[in-house]
């Protein structure tokens, strides 16, 4: 049976940062977004409010800013190699993140079969963000179930990779999980734990356990 590998983005594929912080860095608004990241991590605000506030910060955002943020972000090493290996094994890989879809979806170019993020309007913005399109921790599980149906696998065939509170529901829904540079929210929940800068090393924890 094929397996489905589900990857978080912020703090997982991106080491020590988030897509919104990297986007904001291009606009000179990094500090403001780091503060928002702290608020949502502490549970002081929810995903819809976070999305509305970063959307407001990004009034001058262009596609060039987004491309520069993506290319300059501190990615873990060997992401593309891991996804090529997964594909070569006949398995599937997907990214599911609360970050904006216009950033997350770029990862299909690196080999992900699918990439889901919170739905934002097209850049540059001419309309507000719709709260109904903003993902949550619970939404990650719903998307995982949808992907299972699409790829012909079940939750029992899934491996989740994540780092924080937004991954907690998904870690509880699948049998195998890898905490990657994780915070305390995933303590005791993950099957495996990895601290480092190379996704291949994290992937090796589950590579042979089919």
């Amino acid at each position: 049976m094929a397996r489905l590998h589900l990857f978080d983005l912020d703090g997982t594929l991106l080491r020590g940062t988030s897509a919104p912080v990297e986007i904001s860095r291009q606009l000179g608004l990094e500090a403001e977004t780091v503060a928002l990241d702290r608020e949502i991590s502490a549970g002081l605000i929810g995903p819809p409010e976070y999305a509305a506030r970063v959307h407001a910060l990004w009034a001058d955002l262009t596609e060039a800013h987004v491309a520069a943020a993506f290319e300059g972000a501190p990615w873990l090493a060997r992401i593309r190699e891991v996804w090529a290996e997964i594909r070569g094994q006949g398995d599937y890989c997907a990214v599911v993140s609360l970050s904006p879809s216009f950033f997350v979806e770029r990862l299909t170019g690196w080999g992900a079969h699918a990439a889901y993020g919170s739905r934002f309007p097209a850049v540059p913005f001419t309309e507000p963000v719709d709260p109904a399109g903003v993902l949550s921790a619970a939404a990650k599980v719903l998307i995982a179930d949808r992907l299972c149906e699409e790829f012909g696998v079940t939750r029992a065939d899934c491996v989740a990779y994540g780092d924080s509170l937004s991954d907690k529901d998904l870690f509880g829904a699948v049998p195998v999980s890898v905490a990657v540079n994780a915070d305390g929210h995933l303590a005791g929940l993950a099957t495996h734990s990895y601290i480092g800068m190379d996704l291949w090393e994290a992937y090796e924890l589950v590579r042979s356990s089919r």
Side-chain angles (χ1 to χ4, degrees), residues 117-195:
S118 293
R119 287 198 308 275
F120 272 63
V123 176
F125 299 143
T126 58
E127 55 188 281
V129 63
D130 181 357
V134 177
L135 300 188
S136 63
K140 285 191 172 189
V141 179
L142 297 177
I143 290 171
D145 284 341
R146 201 154 66 231
L147 289 169
C148 283
E149 185 174 354
E150 179 181 343
F151 297 136
V153 299
T154 69
R155 284 190 188 181
D157 308 307
C158 290
V159 182
Y161 304 75
D163 76 303
S164 65
L165 183 61
S166 71
D167 304 300
K168 192 171 183 178
D169 288 9
L170 187 57
F171 273 39
V174 303
V176 180
S177 55
V178 183
V180 179
N181 297 316
D183 63 24
H185 289 107
L186 299 183
L189 289 178
T191 314
H192 306 278
S193 182
Y194 172 73
I195 297 174

Side-chain angles (χ1 to χ4, degrees), residues 20-34:
V21 168
E22 296 306 305
I23 293 166
S24 293
R25 193 190 309 278
Q26 300 298 318
L27 299 168
L29 297 168
E30 177 186 359
E32 291 86 340
T33 310
V34 168

Side-chain angles (χ1 to χ4, degrees), residues 23-80:
I23 293 166
S24 293
R25 193 190 309 278
Q26 300 298 318
L27 299 168
L29 297 168
E30 177 186 359
E32 291 86 340
T33 310
V34 168
L36 285 176
D37 277 9
R38 290 197 189 104
E39 288 189 54
I40 195 169
S41 294
L44 300 176
I45 60 174
E49 182 178 350
Y50 179 96
R53 288 170 67 179
V54 293
H55 176 275
L57 285 176
W58 295 340
D60 297 323
L61 188 65
T62 67
E63 277 291 339
H65 290 129
V66 177
F70 187 88
E71 291 161 13
W75 299 100
L76 289 190
R78 295 199 282 180
I79 294 172
R80 280 170 276 203

